[in-house]
Amino acid sequence: MKGEEDRELIYGGEYLEMSPPEKLVFTHKWDDSPDYTYPHTTCVVELKDLDGKTEMHFTQTGFNVEAEREGHRSGWTQIFEK
């Protein structure tokens, strides 16, 4: 992912649960710094059929810094809107 001033940000994680087609659970961790201090977070994507459309419920837990949580909220919102 490219951040401010085209700074590359690398993240990874692992899948914890896959229950097609309703649920996906995975960890999220930034890999761009050896002195990373934020905890790894857990993301849950739940999908539900809603009259021929798909409703998605997304949660991400495990933050210990509010600014980091809000940054992720903003980033995920931008991704989902696209």
Side-chain angles (χ1 to χ4, degrees):
M1 180 170 72
K2 289 211 177 192
E4 295 176 11
E5 300 174 9
D6 285 334
R7 180 174 163 231
E8 285 193 7
L9 303 169
I10 300 168
Y11 64 91
E14 64 183 66
Y15 293 108
L16 302 176
E17 179 182 343
M18 291 183 277
S19 302
E22 304 86 25
K23 189 174 185 182
L24 178 65
V25 181
F26 58 94
T27 60
H28 181 286
K29 70 181 192 83
W30 293 106
D31 292 332
D32 62 337
S33 173
D35 59 344
Y36 179 83
T37 57
Y38 295 112
H40 301 175
T41 59
T42 301
C43 300
V44 179
V45 181
E46 296 173 288
L47 304 171
K48 183 167 55 170
D49 180 45
L50 189 64
D51 297 324
K53 296 184 179 182
T54 303
E55 177 181 84
M56 180 187 71
H57 183 75
F58 178 87
T59 55
Q60 186 175 15
T61 58
F63 294 105
N64 65 353
V65 176
E66 186 174 338
E68 183 78 0
R69 184 188 75 216
E70 292 307 312
H72 280 249
R73 181 188 315 261
S74 173
W76 284 115
T77 299
Q78 291 176 40
I79 290 168
F80 296 146
E81 287 177 351
K82 291 181 180 181

Coordinates of all heavy atoms in Angstrom, one line a residue:
M1 N 0.9 -1.2 0.0 CA 0.0 0.0 0.0 C 0.9 1.2 0.0 O 2.0 1.2 0.6 CB -0.9 0.0 1.3 CG -1.8 1.1 1.4 SD -3.0 0.9 2.7 CE -2.0 1.1 4.1
K2 N 0.5 2.3 -0.7 CA 1.3 3.5 -0.7 C 0.6 4.5 0.2 O -0.6 4.8 0.1 CB 1.4 4.0 -2.1 CG 2.3 3.2 -3.0 CD 3.0 4.0 -4.0 CE 3.9 3.1 -4.8 NZ 4.8 3.8 -5.6
G3 N 1.4 5.1 1.0 CA 0.9 6.1 2.0 C 1.3 7.5 1.5 O 1.5 7.8 0.4
E4 N 1.3 8.4 2.5 CA 1.7 9.8 2.2 C 3.1 9.8 1.6 O 4.0 9.1 1.9 CB 1.7 10.6 3.5 CG 0.3 10.7 4.2 CD 0.4 11.4 5.5 OE1 1.4 12.0 5.8 OE2 -0.6 11.3 6.2
E5 N 3.2 10.7 0.6 CA 4.4 10.9 -0.1 C 4.9 9.7 -0.8 O 6.1 9.4 -0.8 CB 5.5 11.5 0.8 CG 5.1 12.9 1.4 CD 6.1 13.4 2.4 OE1 7.2 12.8 2.6 OE2 5.8 14.4 3.1
D6 N 4.0 8.8 -1.2 CA 4.3 7.5 -1.9 C 5.2 6.6 -1.0 O 5.9 5.7 -1.5 CB 5.0 7.8 -3.2 CG 4.0 8.2 -4.3 OD1 2.8 7.9 -4.2 OD2 4.5 8.9 -5.2
R7 N 5.1 6.7 0.3 CA 5.8 5.8 1.2 C 5.1 4.4 1.1 O 3.9 4.3 1.3 CB 5.7 6.3 2.6 CG 6.4 5.4 3.6 CD 6.4 6.1 5.0 NE 6.7 5.1 6.0 CZ 6.0 4.9 7.0 NH1 4.9 5.6 7.3 NH2 6.3 3.9 7.9
E8 N 5.9 3.4 0.9 CA 5.3 2.1 0.8 C 5.1 1.5 2.2 O 6.0 1.5 3.0 CB 6.2 1.1 0.0 CG 6.1 1.4 -1.5 CD 6.7 0.3 -2.3 OE1 7.1 -0.7 -1.8 OE2 6.8 0.5 -3.6
L9 N 3.9 0.9 2.4 CA 3.6 0.3 3.7 C 3.3 -1.2 3.4 O 2.5 -1.5 2.5 CB 2.4 1.0 4.3 CG 2.5 2.5 4.5 CD1 1.2 3.1 4.9 CD2 3.5 2.7 5.6
I10 N 3.9 -2.1 4.1 CA 3.7 -3.5 3.9 C 3.0 -4.1 5.1 O 3.4 -3.8 6.2 CB 5.1 -4.2 3.6 CG1 5.7 -3.5 2.4 CG2 4.9 -5.7 3.5 CD1 7.2 -3.9 2.2
Y11 N 2.0 -4.9 4.9 CA 1.4 -5.6 6.0 C 1.1 -7.0 5.6 O 1.1 -7.4 4.4 CB 0.1 -4.8 6.4 CG -1.0 -4.8 5.4 CD1 -2.0 -5.8 5.4 CD2 -1.1 -3.7 4.6 CE1 -3.0 -5.7 4.5 CE2 -2.1 -3.6 3.6 CZ -3.1 -4.6 3.6 OH -4.1 -4.6 2.7
G12 N 0.9 -7.8 6.6 CA 0.6 -9.2 6.4 C -0.3 -9.7 7.5 O -0.9 -9.0 8.2
G13 N -0.3 -11.0 7.6 CA -1.2 -11.6 8.6 C -1.4 -13.1 8.2 O -0.8 -13.6 7.4
E14 N -2.3 -13.7 8.9 CA -2.7 -15.1 8.6 C -4.2 -15.2 8.8 O -4.9 -14.5 9.6 CB -1.9 -16.0 9.5 CG -2.2 -15.9 11.0 CD -1.4 -16.9 11.8 OE1 -0.2 -16.7 11.9 OE2 -2.0 -17.8 12.4
Y15 N -4.7 -16.2 8.0 CA -6.1 -16.5 8.1 C -6.3 -17.4 9.4 O -5.6 -18.4 9.6 CB -6.6 -17.3 6.9 CG -6.6 -16.4 5.7 CD1 -5.6 -16.6 4.7 CD2 -7.5 -15.4 5.5 CE1 -5.6 -15.8 3.5 CE2 -7.4 -14.6 4.4 CZ -6.5 -14.8 3.4 OH -6.4 -14.0 2.3
L16 N -7.3 -17.0 10.2 CA -7.7 -17.8 11.4 C -8.9 -18.6 11.2 O -9.0 -19.7 11.8 CB -7.9 -16.8 12.5 CG -6.8 -15.9 12.9 CD1 -7.2 -14.9 14.0 CD2 -5.5 -16.7 13.3
E17 N -9.8 -18.2 10.3 CA -11.1 -18.9 10.1 C -11.6 -18.6 8.7 O -11.6 -17.4 8.3 CB -12.1 -18.5 11.2 CG -13.5 -19.2 11.0 CD -14.5 -18.8 12.0 OE1 -14.1 -18.2 13.0 OE2 -15.7 -19.0 11.8
M18 N -12.0 -19.6 8.0 CA -12.7 -19.4 6.7 C -13.9 -20.3 6.7 O -13.8 -21.5 6.8 CB -11.7 -19.8 5.6 CG -10.6 -18.9 5.4 SD -9.5 -19.3 4.0 CE -8.5 -20.5 4.8
S19 N -15.1 -19.6 6.6 CA -16.3 -20.3 6.6 C -17.1 -19.8 5.4 O -18.0 -19.0 5.5 CB -17.1 -20.1 7.9 OG -16.4 -20.5 9.0
P20 N -16.7 -20.2 4.2 CA -17.4 -19.8 3.0 C -18.9 -20.1 3.0 O -19.2 -21.2 3.4 CB -16.7 -20.5 1.8 CG -15.4 -21.0 2.4 CD -15.7 -21.2 3.9
P21 N -19.7 -19.3 2.5 CA -19.4 -17.9 2.0 C -19.8 -16.9 3.1 O -19.9 -15.7 2.7 CB -20.4 -17.8 0.8 CG -21.6 -18.6 1.2 CD -21.1 -19.7 2.1
E22 N -19.9 -17.2 4.4 CA -20.4 -16.3 5.4 C -19.3 -15.5 6.1 O -19.6 -14.4 6.6 CB -21.2 -17.0 6.4 CG -22.4 -17.8 6.0 CD -22.0 -19.2 5.7 OE1 -21.0 -19.8 6.1 OE2 -22.8 -19.8 4.9
K23 N -18.1 -16.1 6.4 CA -17.2 -15.5 7.3 C -15.8 -15.7 7.0 O -15.4 -16.8 6.6 CB -17.5 -16.1 8.7 CG -16.8 -15.4 9.8 CD -17.3 -15.9 11.2 CE -16.8 -15.2 12.3 NZ -17.2 -15.8 13.6
L24 N -15.0 -14.7 7.2 CA -13.5 -14.7 7.1 C -12.9 -14.0 8.3 O -13.3 -12.8 8.6 CB -13.1 -14.1 5.8 CG -11.6 -14.0 5.5 CD1 -11.0 -15.4 5.3 CD2 -11.4 -13.1 4.2
V25 N -11.9 -14.6 8.9 CA -11.3 -14.0 10.1 C -9.8 -14.0 9.8 O -9.2 -15.1 9.4 CB -11.6 -14.7 11.4 CG1 -10.9 -14.0 12.6 CG2 -13.1 -14.8 11.6
F26 N -9.1 -12.9 10.0 CA -7.6 -12.9 9.7 C -7.0 -11.9 10.6 O -7.6 -10.9 11.1 CB -7.4 -12.6 8.2 CG -7.9 -11.3 7.7 CD1 -7.2 -10.1 7.7 CD2 -9.2 -11.2 7.2 CE1 -7.7 -8.9 7.2 CE2 -9.8 -10.0 6.8 CZ -9.0 -8.8 6.8
T27 N -5.7 -12.1 10.8 CA -4.9 -11.1 11.6 C -4.3 -10.0 10.6 O -4.2 -10.3 9.4 CB -3.7 -11.8 12.3 OG1 -2.8 -12.4 11.4 CG2 -4.2 -12.7 13.3
H28 N -4.0 -8.9 11.1 CA -3.5 -7.8 10.4 C -2.3 -7.2 11.1 O -2.4 -6.9 12.3 CB -4.5 -6.7 10.2 CG -4.1 -5.5 9.4 ND1 -3.3 -4.6 9.9 CD2 -4.4 -5.1 8.1 CE1 -3.1 -3.6 9.0 NE2 -3.8 -4.0 7.9
K29 N -1.1 -7.2 10.5 CA 0.1 -6.6 11.1 C 0.9 -5.9 10.1 O 1.1 -6.3 9.0 CB 0.9 -7.7 11.8 CG 1.6 -8.6 10.9 CD 2.4 -9.7 11.7 CE 3.4 -10.4 10.8 NZ 4.6 -9.8 10.6
W30 N 1.4 -4.7 10.5 CA 2.3 -4.0 9.7 C 3.7 -4.6 9.7 O 4.2 -5.0 10.8 CB 2.4 -2.5 10.1 CG 1.1 -1.8 9.9 CD1 0.2 -1.5 10.9 CD2 0.5 -1.4 8.7 NE1 -0.9 -0.8 10.3 CE2 -0.7 -0.8 9.0 CE3 1.0 -1.5 7.3 CZ2 -1.5 -0.3 8.0 CZ3 0.1 -0.9 6.4 CH2 -1.1 -0.3 6.7
D31 N 4.4 -4.7 8.6 CA 5.7 -5.3 8.5 C 6.8 -4.2 8.1 O 7.9 -4.6 7.7 CB 5.7 -6.4 7.4 CG 4.9 -7.6 7.8 OD1 4.8 -7.8 9.0 OD2 4.4 -8.3 6.9
D32 N 6.5 -3.0 8.2 CA 7.4 -2.0 7.7 C 8.4 -1.4 8.7 O 9.1 -0.5 8.3 CB 6.6 -0.8 7.0 CG 5.7 -0.1 8.1 OD1 5.4 -0.6 9.1 OD2 5.4 1.1 7.8
S33 N 8.4 -1.9 9.9 CA 9.3 -1.3 10.9 C 9.7 -2.4 11.9 O 8.9 -3.1 12.5 CB 8.6 -0.2 11.6 OG 9.4 0.3 12.7
P34 N 11.1 -2.4 12.1 CA 11.5 -3.4 13.1 C 11.1 -3.0 14.6 O 11.1 -3.9 15.4 CB 13.0 -3.4 13.0 CG 13.4 -2.1 12.3 CD 12.1 -1.8 11.5
D35 N 10.8 -1.8 14.8 CA 10.4 -1.3 16.1 C 8.9 -1.1 16.2 O 8.4 -0.3 16.9 CB 11.2 -0.1 16.5 CG 10.9 1.1 15.6 OD1 10.4 0.9 14.4 OD2 11.2 2.2 15.9
Y36 N 8.2 -1.9 15.5 CA 6.7 -1.9 15.5 C 6.2 -2.0 16.9 O 6.5 -3.0 17.6 CB 6.2 -3.0 14.6 CG 4.7 -3.1 14.5 CD1 4.0 -2.3 13.7 CD2 4.0 -4.0 15.3 CE1 2.6 -2.4 13.6 CE2 2.6 -4.0 15.3 CZ 1.9 -3.2 14.4 OH 0.6 -3.3 14.3
T37 N 5.3 -1.1 17.4 CA 4.8 -1.1 18.7 C 3.4 -1.4 18.8 O 2.9 -1.6 19.9 CB 5.2 0.2 19.5 OG1 4.6 1.3 18.7 CG2 6.7 0.4 19.6
Y38 N 2.6 -1.3 17.8 CA 1.2 -1.5 17.8 C 0.9 -3.0 17.8 O 1.6 -3.8 17.2 CB 0.5 -0.9 16.7 CG 0.6 0.6 16.7 CD1 1.3 1.3 15.7 CD2 -0.1 1.4 17.7 CE1 1.4 2.7 15.8 CE2 0.0 2.7 17.7 CZ 0.8 3.4 16.8 OH 0.9 4.7 16.8
P39 N -0.1 -3.5 18.5 CA -0.4 -4.9 18.5 C -1.0 -5.3 17.2 O -1.5 -4.5 16.4 CB -1.5 -5.0 19.6 CG -2.2 -3.7 19.6 CD -1.1 -2.7 19.3
H40 N -0.9 -6.6 16.9 CA -1.5 -7.2 15.7 C -3.0 -7.2 16.0 O -3.4 -7.4 17.1 CB -1.0 -8.6 15.4 CG 0.5 -8.6 15.2 ND1 1.1 -9.8 15.0 CD2 1.4 -7.7 15.1 CE1 2.4 -9.6 14.8 NE2 2.6 -8.3 14.9
T41 N -3.8 -6.8 15.0 CA -5.2 -6.8 15.2 C -5.9 -8.0 14.5 O -5.2 -8.7 13.7 CB -5.8 -5.5 14.6 OG1 -5.4 -5.4 13.2 CG2 -5.2 -4.3 15.3
T42 N -7.1 -8.2 14.8 CA -7.9 -9.2 14.2 C -9.1 -8.6 13.4 O -9.8 -7.8 14.0 CB -8.4 -10.2 15.2 OG1 -7.3 -10.8 15.9 CG2 -9.2 -11.3 14.6
C43 N -9.3 -9.0 12.2 CA -10.3 -8.5 11.3 C -11.3 -9.7 11.1 O -10.9 -10.8 10.9 CB -9.8 -8.1 10.0 SG -8.6 -6.8 10.1
V44 N -12.6 -9.3 11.1 CA -13.7 -10.3 10.9 C -14.6 -9.7 9.8 O -15.1 -8.6 9.9 CB -14.5 -10.5 12.2 CG1 -15.7 -11.5 11.8 CG2 -13.7 -11.1 13.3
V45 N -14.8 -10.4 8.7 CA -15.7 -10.1 7.6 C -16.8 -11.1 7.6 O -16.6 -12.3 7.5 CB -14.9 -10.1 6.3 CG1 -15.9 -9.7 5.1 CG2 -13.7 -9.3 6.3
E46 N -18.0 -10.5 7.8 CA -19.2 -11.4 7.8 C -20.1 -10.9 6.6 O -20.4 -9.8 6.5 CB -20.0 -11.3 9.1 CG -19.1 -11.8 10.3 CD -19.8 -11.5 11.6 OE1 -19.8 -10.4 12.0 OE2 -20.3 -12.5 12.2
L47 N -20.5 -11.9 5.8 CA -21.3 -11.6 4.7 C -22.7 -12.3 4.8 O -22.8 -13.4 5.3 CB -20.6 -12.2 3.4 CG -19.2 -11.6 3.2 CD1 -18.6 -12.4 2.1 CD2 -19.2 -10.2 2.9
K48 N -23.7 -11.6 4.3 CA -25.1 -12.1 4.4 C -25.9 -11.7 3.2 O -25.8 -10.6 2.7 CB -25.8 -11.5 5.7 CG -27.2 -12.0 5.9 CD -27.7 -11.6 7.3 CE -27.7 -10.2 7.6 NZ -28.4 -9.8 8.8
D49 N -26.7 -12.7 2.7 CA -27.5 -12.4 1.5 C -28.6 -11.5 2.0 O -29.3 -11.7 3.0 CB -28.1 -13.7 1.0 CG -29.0 -13.4 -0.2 OD1 -28.6 -12.6 -1.1 OD2 -30.1 -14.0 -0.3
L50 N -28.9 -10.4 1.2 CA -29.9 -9.5 1.5 C -30.7 -9.2 0.2 O -30.4 -8.3 -0.5 CB -29.3 -8.2 2.1 CG -30.2 -7.2 2.7 CD1 -31.0 -7.7 3.9 CD2 -29.5 -5.9 3.1
D51 N -31.7 -10.0 0.0 CA -32.5 -9.9 -1.2 C -31.7 -9.8 -2.5 O -31.9 -8.8 -3.3 CB -33.4 -8.6 -1.1 CG -34.4 -8.8 0.1 OD1 -34.9 -9.9 0.3 OD2 -34.7 -7.8 0.8
G52 N -30.8 -10.7 -2.7 CA -30.0 -10.7 -4.0 C -28.8 -9.8 -3.9 O -28.0 -9.8 -4.9
K53 N -28.6 -9.1 -2.9 CA -27.4 -8.3 -2.7 C -26.6 -8.8 -1.5 O -27.1 -9.7 -0.8 CB -27.7 -6.8 -2.5 CG -28.4 -6.2 -3.6 CD -28.7 -4.7 -3.4 CE -29.4 -4.1 -4.6 NZ -29.6 -2.7 -4.3
T54 N -25.4 -8.4 -1.3 CA -24.6 -8.9 -0.2 C -24.4 -7.7 0.8 O -23.9 -6.7 0.4 CB -23.2 -9.3 -0.7 OG1 -23.4 -10.4 -1.7 CG2 -22.4 -9.9 0.4
E55 N -24.7 -8.1 2.0 CA -24.4 -7.1 3.1 C -23.2 -7.6 3.8 O -23.0 -8.8 4.1 CB -25.6 -7.2 4.1 CG -25.4 -6.3 5.3 CD -26.5 -6.3 6.3 OE1 -26.5 -7.3 7.1 OE2 -27.4 -5.5 6.2
M56 N -22.3 -6.6 4.1 CA -21.0 -7.0 4.7 C -20.9 -6.2 6.1 O -21.3 -5.1 6.2 CB -19.8 -6.5 3.9 CG -18.5 -6.8 4.6 SD -17.0 -6.2 3.7 CE -17.2 -4.4 4.0
H57 N -20.5 -7.0 7.1 CA -20.2 -6.4 8.4 C -18.7 -6.7 8.7 O -18.3 -7.8 8.7 CB -21.1 -7.1 9.5 CG -20.9 -6.4 10.8 ND1 -21.4 -5.2 11.2 CD2 -20.2 -6.9 11.9 CE1 -21.1 -4.9 12.4 NE2 -20.4 -5.9 12.9
F58 N -18.0 -5.6 8.9 CA -16.5 -5.7 9.1 C -16.2 -5.1 10.5 O -16.6 -4.0 10.8 CB -15.8 -4.9 8.0 CG -14.3 -4.8 8.2 CD1 -13.5 -5.8 7.6 CD2 -13.7 -3.8 8.9 CE1 -12.2 -5.8 7.7 CE2 -12.3 -3.8 9.0 CZ -11.5 -4.8 8.4
T59 N -15.4 -5.9 11.2 CA -14.9 -5.4 12.5 C -13.4 -5.7 12.6 O -12.9 -6.6 12.0 CB -15.5 -6.0 13.7 OG1 -15.4 -7.5 13.6 CG2 -17.0 -5.7 13.8
Q60 N -12.7 -4.8 13.3 CA -11.2 -4.9 13.5 C -11.0 -4.6 15.0 O -11.3 -3.5 15.4 CB -10.4 -4.0 12.6 CG -8.9 -4.3 12.7 CD -8.1 -3.4 11.7 OE1 -8.7 -2.5 11.1 NE2 -6.9 -3.8 11.5
T61 N -10.4 -5.6 15.7 CA -10.2 -5.4 17.1 C -8.7 -5.5 17.5 O -8.0 -6.1 16.7 CB -11.0 -6.4 17.9 OG1 -10.6 -7.7 17.5 CG2 -12.5 -6.2 17.7
G62 N -8.4 -5.1 18.7 CA -7.0 -5.3 19.2 C -6.2 -4.0 19.2 O -5.0 -4.1 19.6
F63 N -6.7 -2.8 19.0 CA -6.0 -1.6 19.0 C -5.7 -1.2 20.4 O -6.6 -1.3 21.3 CB -6.7 -0.5 18.3 CG -6.9 -0.7 16.8 CD1 -8.1 -1.1 16.3 CD2 -5.8 -0.6 15.9 CE1 -8.2 -1.3 14.9 CE2 -5.9 -0.8 14.6 CZ -7.1 -1.2 14.1
N64 N -4.5 -0.6 20.6 CA -4.2 0.0 21.9 C -4.0 1.5 21.8 O -3.7 2.2 22.8 CB -3.1 -0.7 22.6 CG -1.7 -0.5 21.9 OD1 -1.7 0.1 20.8 ND2 -0.7 -0.9 22.5
V65 N -4.2 2.0 20.6 CA -4.0 3.5 20.4 C -5.2 4.0 19.5 O -5.4 3.4 18.4 CB -2.7 3.8 19.6 CG1 -2.5 5.2 19.3 CG2 -1.5 3.3 20.4
E66 N -5.9 4.9 20.1 CA -7.1 5.4 19.4 C -6.8 6.0 18.0 O -7.5 5.7 17.0 CB -7.9 6.4 20.2 CG -9.2 6.8 19.6 CD -10.0 7.8 20.5 OE1 -9.7 7.8 21.7 OE2 -10.8 8.5 19.9
A67 N -5.7 6.7 17.9 CA -5.4 7.3 16.6 C -5.1 6.2 15.5 O -5.5 6.4 14.4 CB -4.1 8.2 16.7
E68 N -4.5 5.1 15.9 CA -4.3 4.0 15.0 C -5.6 3.4 14.6 O -5.8 3.1 13.4 CB -3.4 3.0 15.7 CG -3.0 1.8 14.8 CD -1.9 2.1 13.8 OE1 -1.4 3.2 13.7 OE2 -1.6 1.2 13.0
R69 N -6.5 3.2 15.5 CA -7.8 2.7 15.2 C -8.6 3.6 14.2 O -9.1 3.1 13.2 CB -8.7 2.5 16.5 CG -10.0 1.8 16.2 CD -11.0 1.8 17.4 NE -11.5 3.2 17.5 CZ -11.7 3.8 18.7 NH1 -11.5 3.2 19.8 NH2 -12.1 5.0 18.7
E70 N -8.5 4.9 14.4 CA -9.2 5.8 13.6 C -8.6 5.8 12.2 O -9.2 6.0 11.2 CB -9.3 7.2 14.2 CG -10.2 7.3 15.4 CD -11.6 6.7 15.2 OE1 -12.2 7.1 14.1 OE2 -12.1 5.9 16.0
G71 N -7.3 5.7 12.1 CA -6.6 5.6 10.8 C -7.0 4.4 10.0 O -7.2 4.5 8.8
H72 N -7.1 3.3 10.7 CA -7.6 2.1 10.0 C -9.0 2.2 9.6 O -9.4 1.8 8.5 CB -7.4 0.9 10.9 CG -6.0 0.3 11.0 ND1 -5.7 -0.9 10.4 CD2 -4.9 0.9 11.5 CE1 -4.4 -1.1 10.6 NE2 -3.9 -0.1 11.3
R73 N -9.9 2.8 10.4 CA -11.3 3.1 10.0 C -11.3 3.9 8.7 O -12.1 3.5 7.8 CB -12.0 3.8 11.2 CG -13.5 4.0 10.8 CD -14.2 4.9 11.9 NE -13.9 4.6 13.2 CZ -14.7 3.9 14.0 NH1 -15.8 3.3 13.5 NH2 -14.3 3.6 15.3
S74 N -10.5 4.9 8.7 CA -10.5 5.8 7.5 C -10.0 5.0 6.3 O -10.6 5.1 5.2 CB -9.6 7.0 7.7 OG -9.5 7.7 6.6
G75 N -8.9 4.2 6.5 CA -8.4 3.5 5.4 C -9.3 2.4 4.8 O -9.5 2.3 3.6
W76 N -9.9 1.6 5.7 CA -10.8 0.6 5.3 C -12.0 1.2 4.6 O -12.5 0.7 3.6 CB -11.3 -0.3 6.5 CG -10.3 -1.3 7.0 CD1 -9.7 -1.3 8.2 CD2 -9.8 -2.4 6.3 NE1 -8.8 -2.4 8.3 CE2 -8.9 -3.1 7.1 CE3 -10.0 -2.9 5.0 CZ2 -8.2 -4.2 6.8 CZ3 -9.3 -4.1 4.6 CH2 -8.4 -4.7 5.5
T77 N -12.5 2.3 5.1 CA -13.7 3.0 4.5 C -13.4 3.4 3.1 O -14.2 3.2 2.2 CB -14.1 4.2 5.3 OG1 -14.5 3.8 6.7 CG2 -15.3 5.0 4.7
Q78 N -12.2 3.9 2.9 CA -11.8 4.3 1.5 C -11.7 3.1 0.6 O -12.2 3.1 -0.6 CB -10.4 5.0 1.5 CG -10.5 6.4 2.1 CD -9.1 7.0 2.2 OE1 -8.3 6.9 1.3 NE2 -8.8 7.7 3.3
I79 N -11.2 2.0 1.1 CA -11.1 0.8 0.3 C -12.5 0.2 0.0 O -12.8 -0.1 -1.2 CB -10.3 -0.3 1.1 CG1 -8.8 0.1 1.1 CG2 -10.5 -1.7 0.5 CD1 -8.0 -0.8 2.1
F80 N -13.4 0.2 1.0 CA -14.7 -0.4 0.7 C -15.5 0.5 -0.2 O -16.3 0.0 -1.0 CB -15.5 -0.6 2.0 CG -14.8 -1.6 3.0 CD1 -14.9 -1.4 4.3 CD2 -14.2 -2.7 2.4 CE1 -14.3 -2.3 5.2 CE2 -13.6 -3.6 3.3 CZ -13.6 -3.4 4.7
E81 N -15.3 1.8 -0.2 CA -16.1 2.7 -1.1 C -15.6 2.5 -2.5 O -16.4 2.8 -3.4 CB -15.9 4.1 -0.6 CG -16.7 4.5 0.6 CD -16.5 5.9 1.1 OE1 -15.6 6.6 0.6 OE2 -17.2 6.2 2.1
K82 N -14.4 2.0 -2.8 CA -13.9 1.8 -4.1 C -14.5 0.5 -4.6 O -14.5 0.2 -5.8 CB -12.4 1.8 -4.2 CG -11.9 3.2 -3.9 CD -10.4 3.2 -4.0 CE -9.9 4.7 -3.7 NZ -8.5 4.8 -3.8

